[in-house]
Amino acid sequence: MEIPLEADEVLNRIKKLQNDGSSISKKQVKQSDPDLMRSALFFFQAGSMH
């Protein structure tokens, strides 16, 4: 499985969404940035980092 983003880029994009006042709910992120959602789920599933 190819992961589109590195872990640090995932964190940066999430922080940017928060700073911009955008919703970071799973549903909103999945619709607006599917690569971010796929990568975030890969790296941070069940609270453990790969």
Side-chain angles (χ1 to χ4, degrees):
M1 180 171 152
E2 186 174 323
I3 305 305
L5 305 171
E6 296 294 324
D8 60 337
E9 180 66 18
V10 170
L11 291 173
N12 288 336
R13 286 194 185 188
I14 291 170
K15 287 177 186 175
K16 183 175 182 339
L17 287 172
Q18 285 181 313
N19 290 339
D20 292 346
S22 299
S23 172
I24 57 169
S25 73
K26 284 173 65 174
K27 183 176 181 179
Q28 291 291 79
V29 173
K30 186 176 181 178
Q31 290 176 347
S32 66
D33 195 341
D35 286 341
L36 174 57
M37 180 55 70
R38 257 190 307 279
S39 299
L41 289 172
F42 176 80
F43 287 115
F44 304 108
Q45 63 185 338
S48 64
M49 240 178 115
H50 284 263

